[in-house]
Structures are given as structure tokens and as C-alpha cells.
């Protein structure tokens, strides 16, 4: 950076984001290979250009003013988009590389995503995957791709790729059914210990209707924050639950769980891949999403659960 030359606004915005991320002029200068005085001069020029103080200087580094905090998010977005565009050009014509940041629900990741990763990473050896697990809505600004479900889509400015149809079915351990059953009619579930998911309340509305047309009341003494935890609770004989086929298909085929009310049809949802609407989609994101569409698109193994039930 030439100390006497004033950058254009976009370059100053990127540098401002780097200064905030680094916490000081000196550290930002060290990372970028610039002189401390040059970075300080550009930040002063940026504040003069905007007519507002962005940073408070101190012995311990810099801190954001209120105006600076609001401006930082815009600048960080510009810096990220420029970095993505540069990476996209760098990867053009070459094998995808770098870190792929993926988010998924706990149950879906453990049951269906992680088993697929060896084949994906064998196909793209220059990639590494950073997987974030959680059952709450994902900030797509923090990850490249999120695996989720139709009912969890909240941001309209995202690309949605359908991976597979997902159906939830009612199950219990054979030991629980033997001790508390039978559970052959919707009315029977009024006396069942129904296990609930706390992170998505609408998921707990089964909509079971009795012979009189009324909704069957469901009660229980256990709830958990993930479907994976509910699966383990059901396997332990704690009660009945409604869980996705992809999670418990193997358990049904092995006889560890019994499929109750096989004629009951829950509201189908899709398993989807979500990613931000970016013009310059990184090759590593594109190949990962295409891989998911291909591997999930075949007839899912978990659909064989009903055949053996």
C-alpha cells in the first residue's frame, strides 16, 4: 500500500473490516503486509470521507463506535464477497479446494450426512469439511450450505435444493408396547407417554383424530432438543414418539422399534439443502450440493422400513 495514495471507497471498506477483525491497526497491517501508518491514514481518510467517527483508538487497540458497528457489517459483507469472487477465479478449471462449512441438524447429520462424507471427500481430496450441528435455524452468513427441512426455511433470499421426501411415523420399543399397549387406534394414544421435541413445537402436533372426529389429547413426561435424543429415549422404552423414517428405518428392520398406526399419514416434508443466493457460487459448494442431490435422489434406504414392518 502506498502511504500517500488514498484508496477508493470499496478498498477502504475492506480494510476497515480487516482492522476490526484484527482488533488493531498494527495487527491488521502485519497480516496484510502494510505499514502501520498507512493503515491508520486510510482509516482516517475513510472517516473524513463519511463524516463520522468509526473507531475509537486506545492503547489496547481499536473499538467500534455505534456508527462503526453498523457500518462494519456492510464492510464485512463486501470483504467476504470479494474473497469469494477471488477464490472462485482461483478454483476455475481446477479441483475444488478449501474448507466447506456445513450445518445440519444433529439427527440428519449422524444418520445420513456423515455416512456419505467418505465418498464425497474421496472424490474431492483437496476439500475439508467443517460440520456444525444444531437443531435451531442456521445463519447462512456463517456457513456455505445447510441441510434442513421445508418447515424450517425462514429466509426467502436463499436457494433451496430438494434432496428427498421425509415422512414421520409413530414408533415405540416392543417392550413398551407389550407393557402399555395395544396402540391400534388413535384413541389408544391418549394413555401413551408421548415424547416431544422442544425445539420445534409444531412438530409435536400429530393431528390424531378419534372415532368421534375430535383430536386425541397427547401427554408425556419427557422432551428433548433433538430427534436423535428422542430416538434413544424410545429405544430405552420411555414412550412413543413420531420420528422421521431416515432416522429409525434401520431400527424397524432390526426389530428394535415397532411401527405403530402404519396407516397414519403425517404431513410430508422435504429434506433440503440451503445456500445463500450468490452470483459467484464457489465450486466447492456447487459440487457438494450436486453430490447431495445425487446421493439422496436415489430411492432412500429408509423407505424400505415399511416393507419389513
Amino acid at each position: 500500500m502506498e502511504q500517500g495514495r488514498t484508496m477508493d471507497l470499496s478498498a477502504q471498506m475492506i480494510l476497515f473490516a480487516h482492522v476490526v477483525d484484527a482488533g488493531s491497526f498494527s495487527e491488521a497491517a502485519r497480516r496484510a503486509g502494510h505499514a502501520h501508518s498507512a493503515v491508520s491514514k486510510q482509516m482516517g481518510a475513510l472517516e473524513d470521507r463519511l463524516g463520522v467517527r468509526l473507531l475509537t483508538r486506545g492503547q489496547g487497540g481499536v473499538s467500534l463506535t455505534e456508527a462503526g458497528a453498523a457500518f462494519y457489517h456492510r464492510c464485512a459483507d463486501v470483504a467476504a464477497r470479494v474473497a469469494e469472487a477471488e477464490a472462485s477465479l482461483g478454483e476455475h478449471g481446477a479441483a475444488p479446494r478449501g474448507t466447506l462449512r456445513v450445518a445440519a441438524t444433529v439427527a440428519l447429520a449422524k444418520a445420513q450426512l456423515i455416512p456419505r462424507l467418505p465418498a464425497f471427500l474421496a472424490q474431492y481430496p483437496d476439500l475439508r469439511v467443517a460440520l456444525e450441528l444444531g437443531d435451531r435455524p442456521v445463519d447462512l452468513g456463517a456457513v456455505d450450505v445447510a441441510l434442513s427441512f421445508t418447515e424450517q426455511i425462514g429466509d426467502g433470499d436463499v436457494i433451496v435444493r430438494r434432496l428427498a421426501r421425509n415422512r414421520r411415523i409413530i414408533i415405540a420399543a416392543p417392550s413398551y408396547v407389550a407393557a402399555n399397549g395395544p396402540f391400534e387406534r388413535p384413541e389408544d394414544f391418549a394413555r401413551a407417554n408421548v415424547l416431544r421435541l422442544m425445539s420445534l413445537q409444531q412438530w409435536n402436533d400429530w393431528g390424531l383424530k378419534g372415532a368421534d372426529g375430535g383430536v386425541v389429547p397427547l401427554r408425556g413426561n419427557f422432551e428433548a432438543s433433538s430427534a436423535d435424543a428422542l430416538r434413544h429415549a424410545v429405544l430405552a422404552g420411555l414412550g412413543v414418539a413420531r420420528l422421521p423414517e431416515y432416522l429409525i428405518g434401520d431400527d424397524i428392520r432390526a426389530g428394535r422399534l415397532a411401527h405403530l398406526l402404519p396407516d397414519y399419514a403425517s404431513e410430508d416434508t422435504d429434506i433440503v439443502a440451503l445456500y445463500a443466493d450468490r452470483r459467484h457460487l464457489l465450486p466447492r459448494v456447487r459440487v457438494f450440493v450436486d453430490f447431495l442431490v445425487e446421493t439422496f435422489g436415489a430411492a432412500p434406504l429408509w423407505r424400505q422400513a415399511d416393507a419389513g414392518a
Side-chain angles (χ1 to χ4, degrees):
M1 182 193 303
E2 296 179 14
Q3 188 164 336
R5 180 174 60 86
T6 300
M7 293 178 169
D8 60 32
L9 178 59
S10 59
Q12 287 178 333
M13 290 173 68
I14 294 171
L15 181 59
F16 172 69
H18 291 167
V19 168
V20 175
D21 292 341
S24 69
F25 291 149
S26 57
E27 178 60 19
R30 186 190 67 79
R31 294 181 185 181
H34 301 320
H36 175 284
S37 58
V39 173
S40 179
K41 176 181 175 62
Q42 293 298 334
M43 292 302 93
L46 176 61
E47 290 176 324
D48 291 343
R49 171 180 265 162
L50 299 176
V52 64
R53 174 65 68 86
L54 301 173
L55 296 166
T56 299
R57 284 79 167 167
Q59 290 184 346
V62 296
S63 60
L64 289 167
T65 64
E66 184 177 351
F71 189 57
Y72 167 73
H73 295 291
R74 302 279 187 178
C75 296
D77 183 63
V78 170
R81 289 178 181 273
V82 169
E84 287 177 359
E86 290 177 342
S88 178
L89 287 175
E91 291 180 4
H92 184 71
R97 59 176 56 86
T99 299
L100 181 70
R101 301 166 299 166
V102 182
T105 64
V106 176
L108 183 58
K110 292 171 67 175
Q112 299 298 329
L113 174 59
I114 293 175
R116 287 171 163 78
L117 289 181
F120 174 72
L121 291 174
Q123 188 173 353
Y124 300 101
D126 292 330
L127 282 178
R128 61 188 299 268
V129 173
L131 179 60
E132 176 183 336
L133 300 183
D135 289 292
R136 298 192 181 278
V138 176
D139 177 9
L140 283 177
V143 299
D144 296 311
V145 183
L147 269 67
S148 188
F149 303 91
T150 306
E151 67 268 29
Q152 292 180 305
I153 300 173
D155 187 350
D157 296 326
V158 298
I159 301 298
V160 180
R161 293 288 299 274
R162 179 184 179 277
L163 301 179
R165 201 69 168 160
N166 180 43
R167 189 165 68 101
R168 300 183 177 106
I169 60 178
I170 300 173
I171 45 85
S175 60
Y176 182 85
V177 176
N180 300 277
F183 298 103
E184 298 172 347
R185 303 171 304 156
E187 295 90 339
D188 295 336
F189 289 85
R191 55 180 166 78
N193 190 37
V194 176
L195 314 183
R196 299 167 59 86
L197 185 71
M198 66 174 66
S199 59
L200 197 64
Q201 288 303 318
Q202 63 264 37
W203 202 67
N204 299 312
D205 182 12
W206 295 8
L208 293 179
K209 292 186 177 180
D212 61 358
V215 176
V216 176
L218 303 178
R219 300 178 180 85
N221 62 8
F222 180 84
E223 61 180 3
S225 61
S226 76
D228 185 62
L230 289 186
R231 170 181 171 268
H232 284 282
V234 176
L235 287 169
L238 193 55
V240 302
R242 188 181 68 160
L243 291 174
E245 286 180 307
Y246 73 77
L247 181 61
I248 43 78
D250 288 344
D251 295 319
I252 291 177
R253 287 192 293 275
R256 293 186 293 268
L257 292 176
H259 183 181
L260 309 178
L261 287 188
D263 293 333
Y264 165 77
S266 67
E267 181 181 355
D268 282 6
T269 63
D270 288 337
I271 301 171
V272 296
L274 308 175
Y275 52 95
D277 185 5
R278 298 168 178 150
R279 290 186 177 181
H280 304 291
L281 186 63
L282 291 174
R284 60 177 175 264
V285 176
R286 183 178 296 108
V287 296
F288 181 64
V289 173
D290 288 345
F291 174 83
L292 293 177
V293 171
E294 180 181 357
T295 59
F296 275 90
L301 291 177
W302 64 78
R303 283 295 166 85
Q304 299 174 14
D306 283 340

